[in-house]
Amino acid sequence: MEGGNGNEVEREEDDSVSDILQDRFRLSAISIAENEAKKNGVEISEPITSCIADLALNYTEQLAKELEAFAQHAGRKSVNMEDVILSAHRNEHLTALLRSFCNDLKEKEPQSERKRRKTSKKEDKATTSAVNIPDI
């Protein structure tokens, strides 16, 4: 046998895992939609919950592609919090919530684990003159 069959088996396994994850995601989205509807005293039909799950999955897949592109554009192989915040730039409220969440995480992070480097006076002036988006 040639090595090509091994790649085919791996691809099938990856597809199987991907299908399982997508099904779990959809079930979670349906569960969340049903719980929110119940909490708000609203009835929601099965086709609507299915549609919500599909929309959530499609949105998440598109978001993952955008995040990958942002990280790649910055010359990184992994996505960071700034990429996530950048992905929400069209929604001011969401951007503010993400920035607040990011700041909360930074405050909870132990001081010794934070990476710090000394900045020169020129760098300090450059960062203060940059456009600042206020945290809400």
Side-chain angles (χ1 to χ4, degrees):
M1 273 196 232
E2 293 183 22
N5 285 342
N7 288 339
E8 188 175 317
V9 170
E10 287 177 19
R11 196 172 320 119
E12 286 177 12
E13 287 176 5
D14 288 347
D15 289 345
S16 176
V17 169
S18 179
D19 290 344
I20 290 169
L21 290 174
Q22 287 179 1
D23 288 344
R24 287 181 180 174
F25 183 92
R26 290 185 83 254
L27 288 172
S28 294
I30 288 169
S31 178
I32 291 168
E34 288 173 344
N35 287 335
E36 286 298 312
K38 186 176 182 180
K39 186 169 58 174
N40 292 306
V42 177
E43 286 188 37
I44 188 166
S45 67
E46 195 172 310
I48 297 300
T49 57
S50 182
C51 182
I52 290 169
D54 289 341
L55 287 170
L57 181 62
N58 290 339
Y59 175 79
T60 304
E61 288 172 340
Q62 184 60 42
L63 178 62
K65 289 174 187 174
E66 285 182 18
L67 292 173
E68 184 180 14
F70 291 153
Q72 223 173 23
H73 181 72
R76 291 181 274 104
K77 291 185 178 184
S78 60
V79 173
N80 67 22
M81 192 62 164
E82 286 304 313
D83 297 325
V84 175
I85 292 170
L86 181 61
S87 72
H89 72 278
R90 288 184 217 106
N91 184 334
E92 291 179 23
H93 181 69
L94 180 58
T95 301
L97 289 172
L98 287 170
R99 286 200 186 282
S100 176
F101 178 74
C102 181
N103 289 337
D104 289 346
L105 286 178
K106 286 179 183 176
E107 288 174 7
K108 291 178 183 175
E109 186 178 290
Q111 186 70 24
S112 61
E113 291 182 17
R114 291 185 188 175
K115 293 180 181 177
R116 295 189 170 245
R117 79 184 213 315
K118 290 186 177 183
T119 57
S120 68
K121 298 233 182 219
K122 279 185 179 179
E123 287 176 332
D124 285 341
K125 287 181 182 178
T127 56
T128 56
S129 65
V131 175
N132 185 18
I133 300 173
D135 294 334
I136 297 175

